[in-house]
Amino acid sequence: MSRQAIRESDNAESSSVPDVLTLLDAAVHSLGGQPRPGQRQMAQAVAEAFESGESLVVQAGTGTGKSLAYLVPAARHAVLTGNRVVTSTATLALQAQIVTRDLPRLAKALRPALGRELRFAMVKGRSNYVCRHKLAGQIPDDADDGAMFEMAPLPGKVVTESPTSRLGKEVVRLREWADETDTGDRDDLAPGVSDRAWRQVSVSALECLGQRCPSASECFSELVRARAADADVIVTNHALLAIDTFEGLGILPEHDALVVDEAHELADRVRGAVADQLSPAAVEAAARKARRHAGLDVNPLLTAADGLSDVVQELPAGRFAPHLPQSLAQALVAVRDTTRAALTDLRSAATARKDPESAGALQTTRAALTEVFDVAERLIADDEHDVSWLAVTEGRGGARRTLHVAPLDVSGRLKATLYEERSVVLTSATLTVGGGFEAVEREVGLFAGGRRDDDAPPLTRAIPHTCLDVGSPFDYPKQSILYVARQLPPPGRAGTGQAGLDELAALIEAAGGRTLGLFSSRAAAEAAAQEMRGRLNVPILCQGEDSMGALVRAFAADPATCLFGTLSLWQGVDVPGPSCQLVVIDRIPFPRPDDPVASARSEAVARRGGNGFMRVSAQHAALRLAQGTGRLIRGMDDRGVVAILDSRLATARYAGYLIASLPPMWRTTDREVVLGALRRLAAASPEPPRSG
């Protein structure tokens, strides 16, 4: 049956689809939940936005149940109108959670009311799937086959010899798994493999042959896209949404409604998706591909790569301002021009070689050269709307020097493309900054021009939209305390000082463990973990010692355990109950002073007469603090303390702005009051049953 026929059949059945609140009640009842006023308010608002075609910004605090509050209206809209709804999340992990847990349960719950099963699909980038054509040896890779296998394979042949290295063993296991999997999706492979091994069986979008590929009919990525074409609800991620929207690639099927979950991350994820990087090693790798796979004379390109390497070796790490150094610009011009010549030669080689066997090799070569050319040209342009910098990272092979370029502001591009001919719902538990929505409205392009300086007149709403805060079912003043250690000295660059470590030890001891420590850097987390292990008789886990999932499970299983980590934990930990009764944040999470993008954005605001610190650094810190403090209260029965070991939150002029962005916890700077509260909580908390 064709897609059109399916939709006409569905529409005939949808005339009796219940209203959104009736459907929500049915879903909540089926899933064993309780009605929540905020969830009902949000669901109604989302349904009205879909119907009107306008957009909606909705903050739904922790415990609201926002996933159901947008998935139920999405399901109803799709069945009622025959139009698809796309849902975008910040990460692949959140994307998988919606598809593997939330939507299957919802589809089952709503089937009686909708009259049919809800169809849904997940769409990721091509590199997340095994490439059958590459597995067959038709798209070469540049791995050191001699190090992978006892016998080096013939070019273009599948390797069957016994693996001798970890990489070789992983590749053999991937090939065996590819014959068994129905999805080809990396997330379905357990245990996983290294990124290097995965690259031997996958391709990027640029490397893909598309419909010219002999394996197109059985391509895992194409099969996913075909399923998405017949889905009611499609789940993707912010990075892929940005690439599809900005570049018009048609990855996502047509849709008239979009839900952006974790919308506070949208601008940063989009900025990351459209950023580029270039290194001398990447130029050399592209040249080797051109020589190996197309027989080109790449000596001019290798010479240009050497020239670029010489220049970046002499440059200090950091941002290029106000313009690229002349020596770097000249080196990049040489790279661009020799790459352009190589691409011209490659087109001639492709014309001469019509054999299907060489198509994959030529395509991967074209992709590598095109990427080098595009990034070099973008860097040379030195656009005032971009920021460029040199990053130096230490590795086993020594220091790696890489050029980066990223947009200063993506709001204009979002305004011009994201909201075109569709209703967009942007939601998160943390969208208000300083007590209002203006910051996020500006970041995601809902205001005209996408920018505002502190002394500018009120902004006009370029995109018709409504802002709504549905609150949270939690009683924060009764369930939680916000403690600011006012007596501590302001934190220095060296990390948590001795006074801060003494405070941390006293808090953990009073809580009897039960602590999630969120630190400004990996080094600070590791140093604090080492110090606490020497001072306290409680288990201390630290990020990096095991997988994130294993650490969180161990933390949740034993209330005596503490878990220390960095910013990546701030959104990834959901541990209700007595195992997390104290969240400690070592310092206000301002961007690093040498962060290239943040510093450039701040200077751009200042040039327009605004307050760059408040617009960039304080806004960044407010959102991160809101995410961090949100780790504490995850259920109606949770109780606990958020302790900020940064006295500036009590003394600085911007403190009120940051606190206004946090849940309305009961606030104190009295150390003894907090220690007493933690002791009482620990004494009243039941011990979980222990196995064995």
Side-chain angles (χ1 to χ4, degrees), residues 476-486 625 629 640-644 649-651 655-671 673-674 677:
Y476 283 104
K478 292 184 178 180
Q479 290 182 250
S480 58
I481 297 173
L482 174 64
Y483 166 57
V484 180
R486 186 187 182 108
L625 275 179
T629 57
V641 172
V642 173
I644 312 290
L649 196 60
T651 60
Y657 174 84
L658 299 180
I659 288 175
S661 308
L662 306 181
M665 299 174 282
W666 187 78
R667 300 199 303 270
T668 185
T669 59
D670 191 320
R671 183 174 188 264
V673 167
V674 170

Side-chain angles (χ1 to χ4, degrees), residues 149-507:
F149 297 92
E150 292 177 352
M151 296 177 61
L154 295 172
K157 299 297 182 183
V158 177
V159 177
T160 57
E161 289 79 11
S162 300
T164 60
S165 68
R166 176 185 174 187
L167 177 61
K169 292 175 181 177
E170 287 183 326
V171 172
V172 167
R173 185 162 72 85
L174 279 168
R175 286 174 173 152
E176 293 171 347
W177 173 75
D179 289 334
E180 303 167 357
T181 177
D182 293 327
T183 66
D185 188 335
R186 183 178 183 178
D187 285 343
D188 294 339
L189 175 66
V193 296
S194 65
D195 289 345
R196 187 182 178 199
W198 184 257
R199 283 196 296 269
Q200 310 314 310
V201 300
S202 65
V203 296
S204 67
L206 279 174
E207 294 171 322
C208 179
L209 291 171
Q211 293 305 311
R212 295 184 292 119
C213 178
S215 302
S217 62
E218 54 182 1
C219 171
F220 288 118
S221 181
E222 288 299 321
L223 291 172
V224 166
R225 283 161 172 72
R227 285 194 291 271
D230 285 331
D232 301 302
V233 177
I234 299 166
V235 184
T236 188
N237 56 78
H238 296 349
L240 189 63
L241 174 68
I243 293 169
D244 183 65
T245 301
F246 290 168
E247 300 182 14
L249 297 180
I251 300 171
L252 299 172
E254 289 185 6
H255 54 281
D256 72 340
L258 168 67
V259 178
V260 179
D261 198 354
E262 302 300 325
H264 65 280
E265 290 238 26
L266 179 63
D268 283 343
R269 296 280 175 173
V270 168
R271 188 177 289 109
V274 296
D276 286 312
Q277 62 183 54
L278 181 67
S279 67
V283 181
E284 292 171 9
R288 287 196 302 270
K289 281 186 171 75
R291 180 169 56 195
R292 178 183 178 190
H293 304 319
L296 302 186
D297 175 10
V298 295
N299 287 327
L301 183 53
L302 289 172
T303 300
D306 289 340
L308 180 63
S309 180
D310 291 341
V311 169
V312 298
Q313 289 295 332
E314 299 299 322
L315 292 174
R319 179 163 63 95
F320 303 126
H323 300 293
L324 292 181
Q326 185 176 4
S327 60
L328 177 58
Q330 291 172 344
L332 288 167
V333 167
V335 168
R336 181 197 62 188
D337 292 348
T338 52
T339 306
R340 179 193 286 122
L343 282 166
T344 300
D345 293 343
L346 183 65
R347 282 193 289 272
S348 299
T351 302
R353 296 167 61 180
K354 295 293 187 180
D355 53 303
E357 292 77 12
S358 66
L362 294 175
Q363 183 66 21
T364 192
T365 302
R366 184 180 297 107
L369 290 172
T370 299
E371 184 170 2
V372 168
F373 177 83
D374 288 346
V375 181
E377 190 164 58
R378 182 178 178 184
L379 283 161
I380 293 165
D382 211 7
D383 192 301
E384 64 177 357
H385 300 300
D386 275 346
V387 55
S388 55
W389 69 97
L390 174 66
V392 180
T393 54
E394 296 295 334
R396 287 182 299 178
R400 179 181 175 87
R401 307 178 80 84
T402 306
L403 298 166
H404 294 259
V405 57
L408 274 175
D409 183 9
V410 296
S411 62
R413 297 180 73 175
L414 287 171
K415 180 171 70 70
T417 56
L418 188 69
Y419 308 96
E420 188 175 355
E421 297 182 358
R422 59 183 168 188
S423 170
V424 180
V425 173
L426 301 115
T427 184
S428 171
T430 52
L431 285 179
T432 56
V433 177
F437 285 98
E438 183 180 297
V440 72
E441 289 177 284
R442 182 175 54 234
E443 286 284 301
V444 299
L446 289 169
F447 282 149
R451 299 172 178 170
R452 177 181 175 177
D453 300 329
D454 289 358
D455 56 355
L459 292 165
T460 58
R461 294 190 168 186
I463 307 298
H465 68 282
T466 302
C467 294
L468 174 67
D469 184 352
V470 300
S472 168
F474 301 147
D475 189 344
Y476 283 104
K478 292 184 178 180
Q479 290 182 250
S480 58
I481 297 173
L482 174 64
Y483 166 57
V484 180
R486 186 187 182 108
Q487 76 282 2
L488 295 179
R493 290 192 176 185
T496 307
Q498 192 58 50
L501 292 171
D502 292 342
E503 188 78 1
L504 176 62
L507 290 165

